[in-house]
Amino acid sequence: MRVTTAPPKQKFLIDQDRREKASRTRVAMLTFESNAAVHRMDFSDISNLSTALNGPQNTHHDVFARLFVVEDLSRDVIEALGARFDIDPLFFRGHISDYMWHNTRDPWVELPDLDIMARRRSYLHVRYVQTRYFRSVDSLRSAQWESGGFNVLRRVDKDGNWVPGLDIPNSDVGLVRSRTSLWIRPNKLGENGVLGKSHLRHFSHRESLLHLRSRPESYLGILLVDPTISEGFPIWGGYRSLVDCPSMAAVPVPRGPPKTSTFEDVIYYTSALTPDEITKISKDPRLLFKKTLMVVCAEWYTLVKYATTRIAQLEWEIENPDLQDDNGGLQFTIKKLHSWRRRFPIFRTIVSEVLEKTIKRENFASSPENHVRDLQRDFEILLSDLENLQLRADRIMAVVTAVMSIEESKKAFEQNRSLARLTWLAITFAPLSFITGLFSVNSDLSTLVTTFKTYFAVALPLTAMVLFLTRFANVGLGIRWKELLLSKWSPKASG
């Protein structure tokens, strides 16, 4: 709390940064009433938020549920919400960082809960990945710098799968590991309406209990979402809209999702809950989270589509030698393929975690029903697609390894042919050198003519004989090896 941001960032902050990060506030309060109306109230100042949390003007007695949507945690927001609603600090701590692994000396490591403990908690953490397109290296660096300014620890991982002729030079796609979290608290005894005090204080204890049992239970929810990077833009324009296309006769034309940030998209879709869904919030408070889960699932579908595209391009590079030369050869192809082979198991783990701990979880916050199980099939399809992509990447790696082995064999064959030429050249000049050295002992220059005649008369037949013997020796050696193999593997005659 003193650092006011993720612990690894503390050494980069000055006092002014700490003060700004400590008071950073962007909160929207969504109120769901009994007539299915949804009201929104925004807060950009911590003092206004504290007044709304603790002031008497927000004491409603017919509120079915209330949801606080918070973008980027800060110290003051944590203190305001945590003190007002007695929230488990692990809920906020689990949302701050998103490490895949930790160093052995990291003091901020968060060890996992036992499942028996996690089932008792009234909060959920969901991880996912967003894909964002950047036209240049400078744009990607600006996005990485922007994500470093968040209070929560998030980063933009460079993909590096640039393909010449298909992508803009120096463009890239960043994979943003993101997280969203939900905390639910049902009304305590004697409360009607999420923030209101008991309006039953004028009744007797027995009358109060009978009235409480006759009314549906109301819920308070706190939804944490990540800030959205302004640099670049979502690949392919972002995920497909989660609302149906309006009719041609619809007047006025309904407003679509803003698609400006995750914060605004989540508020838009959650505010669009149907009256039937709002009335069922008391039976399953995860309905406050259902639209957010749909956004998460849509982001995963976009990532799977992008990964499928890159894997297909890698297969194309292997089939087309010209592309291999343009992209740096098969070694660079293996490097790009290995990054996907490393990511796919991580993605599968994250999707499986959402499926098991959120979608299939029963009795969350004592709710008798599970209305997010409708998304189970979508997440199972995602998990199956990721498994298929991982198998496909493994098969491509085997093919690339085989192709590289064939290429290395061709290079070795060419080298052996070159060495064979050098060997024949050495064999040819060996007897010539020997005869030259033998005749060089004659110091009388007048006898050189006779020496040359004698030299060629002796050297040429000797060279031909050496070449013949070498060739015969190689052929004979090959025949002997062939006879040896045939005698070893041929079936023995039965006597």
Side-chain angles (χ1 to χ4, degrees):
M1 297 295 284
R2 291 193 302 269
V3 177
T4 71
T5 185
K9 301 180 182 182
Q10 61 178 334
K11 59 183 178 181
F12 304 107
L13 301 179
I14 60 178
D15 292 339
Q16 182 179 357
D17 295 331
R18 288 189 175 91
R19 288 192 297 270
E20 187 276 328
K21 288 179 175 294
S23 61
R24 185 178 296 175
T25 304
R26 190 181 185 190
V27 179
M29 182 175 68
L30 301 181
T31 302
F32 301 85
E33 297 185 357
S34 57
N35 59 357
V38 182
H39 302 290
R40 172 178 177 176
M41 184 180 295
D42 290 281
F43 306 94
S44 58
D45 184 81
I46 190 62
S47 60
N48 294 335
L49 177 62
S50 299
T51 301
L53 292 174
N54 302 291
Q57 67 274 17
N58 284 320
T59 304
H60 304 295
H61 298 305
D62 59 348
V63 174
F64 275 15
R66 178 163 287 158
L67 179 67
F68 288 89
V69 184
V70 182
E71 182 185 77
D72 201 9
L73 282 175
S74 67
R75 183 193 66 190
D76 293 350
V77 171
I78 291 175
E79 289 180 346
L81 293 174
R84 175 63 179 85
F85 302 118
D86 192 21
I87 301 175
D88 189 344
L90 291 178
F91 167 65
F92 296 111
R93 181 181 177 183
H95 184 79
I96 292 175
S97 60
D98 194 21
Y99 287 105
M100 294 297 178
W101 53 272
H102 292 80
N103 292 320
T104 55
R105 297 171 294 153
D106 289 343
W108 50 80
V109 60
E110 185 179 357
L111 298 176
D113 272 336
L114 295 177
D115 186 65
I116 191 174
M117 299 294 295
R119 289 197 301 268
R120 300 176 186 173
R121 307 194 189 278
S122 61
Y123 58 80
L124 303 167
H125 294 299
V126 173
R127 295 183 292 169
Y128 64 103
V129 180
Q130 295 176 314
T131 50
R132 205 161 183 85
Y133 184 80
F134 303 98
R135 289 183 176 273
S136 63
V137 176
D138 293 337
S139 179
L140 176 60
R141 290 174 181 170
S142 298
Q144 293 172 336
W145 182 265
E146 184 180 353
S147 65
F150 299 161
N151 279 345
V152 293
L153 184 63
R154 303 291 185 265
R155 68 179 186 183
V156 182
D157 294 330
K158 178 182 177 181
D159 182 26
N161 282 272
W162 179 75
V163 179
L166 299 179
D167 295 326
I168 299 175
N170 298 323
S171 64
D172 210 333
V173 173
L175 305 180
V176 187
R177 288 183 300 192
S178 306
R179 183 184 287 258
T180 181
S181 304
L182 176 71
W183 177 83
I184 290 293
R185 188 209 71 166
N187 276 350
K188 298 179 181 179
L189 183 66
E191 291 183 354
N192 181 28
V194 186
L195 296 180
K197 301 298 182 182
S198 174
H199 73 294
L200 303 174
R201 55 182 177 270
H202 302 297
F203 295 91
S204 65
H205 180 68
R206 186 168 180 269
E207 290 174 339
S208 299
L209 290 178
L210 291 174
H211 187 84
L212 285 171
R213 290 172 182 172
S214 64
R215 68 171 178 84
E217 196 170 21
S218 301
Y219 283 87
L220 163 76
I222 296 178
L223 177 62
L224 308 180
V225 297
D226 288 345
T228 301
I229 297 172
S230 60
E231 189 68 32
F233 50 89
I235 189 169
W236 297 317
Y239 58 87
R240 179 173 292 182
S241 177
L242 304 180
V243 295
D244 295 331
C245 182
S247 171
M248 293 287 292
V251 177
V253 177
R255 182 176 60 91
K259 291 246 179 148
T260 56
S261 65
T262 304
F263 179 79
E264 293 294 339
D265 285 358
V266 165
I267 292 175
Y268 171 83
Y269 288 118
T270 305
S271 301
L273 288 173
T274 64
D276 181 62
E277 290 174 328
I278 293 176
T279 57
K280 291 180 180 178
I281 290 177
S282 59
K283 297 181 179 180
D284 183 14
R286 278 173 295 187
L287 278 169
L288 296 171
F289 199 39
K290 184 175 181 178
K291 299 297 183 178
T292 305
L293 288 175
M294 293 173 66
V295 172
V296 169
C297 190
E299 292 284 7
W300 276 116
Y301 270 109
T302 304
L303 173 65
V304 168
K305 183 68 175 178
Y306 172 70
T308 303
T309 299
R310 289 308 192 189
I311 293 295
Q313 289 174 347
L314 290 175
E315 290 177 327
W316 191 26
E317 289 181 14
I318 298 172
E319 296 176 1
N320 194 335
D322 294 335
L323 287 177
Q324 295 175 16
D325 297 335
D326 295 337
N327 292 343
L330 288 176
Q331 291 292 345
F332 191 66
T333 301
I334 288 181
K335 181 180 178 180
K336 293 189 292 185
L337 184 60
H338 180 68
S339 65
W340 285 113
R341 295 181 71 219
R342 176 179 58 84
R343 291 169 182 155
F344 285 142
I346 298 175
F347 295 160
R348 289 177 57 191
T349 300
I350 295 175
V351 174
S352 298
E353 183 181 271
V354 177
L355 194 59
E356 295 297 329
K357 297 183 178 181
T358 302
I359 305 299
K360 295 182 179 180
R361 182 175 174 181
E362 301 293 341
N363 299 322
F364 172 72
S366 302
S367 56
E369 298 180 4
N370 184 354
H371 288 276
V372 298
R373 190 177 282 273
D374 299 341
L375 294 170
Q376 178 175 341
R377 179 57 182 162
D378 286 296
F379 279 94
E380 288 175 347
I381 292 174
L382 278 174
L383 189 59
S384 176
D385 290 343
L386 289 171
E387 291 174 353
N388 292 335
L389 284 172
Q390 183 176 356
L391 294 174
R392 187 175 174 184
D394 292 338
R395 289 194 297 267
I396 295 174
M397 179 61 73
V399 172
V400 173
T401 304
V403 171
M404 290 189 65
S405 299
I406 293 173
E407 294 295 329
E408 293 296 331
S409 299
K410 290 181 179 179
K411 292 179 180 179
F413 181 74
E414 292 295 331
Q415 291 176 353
N416 290 335
R417 291 186 62 182
S418 300
L419 290 175
R421 296 188 187 98
L422 291 176
T423 302
W424 282 104
L425 188 62
I427 292 173
T428 302
F429 280 93
L432 300 179
S433 300
F434 173 74
I435 299 300
T436 301
L438 181 63
F439 287 161
S440 65
V441 297
N442 188 1
S443 59
D444 189 1
L445 296 178
S446 60
T447 61
L448 284 178
V449 177
T450 306
T451 301
F452 274 115
K453 293 180 180 180
T454 307
Y455 170 77
F456 284 109
V458 176
L460 292 177
L462 182 60
T463 301
M465 183 180 65
V466 170
L467 294 175
F468 175 76
L469 292 176
T470 303
R471 181 64 177 172
F472 178 77
N474 290 335
V475 173
L477 183 62
I479 293 174
R480 285 195 295 272
W481 274 107
K482 186 175 181 180
E483 292 176 350
L484 179 62
L485 292 174
L486 290 174
S487 63
K488 181 178 181 180
W489 297 103
S490 60
K492 297 181 180 180
S494 57

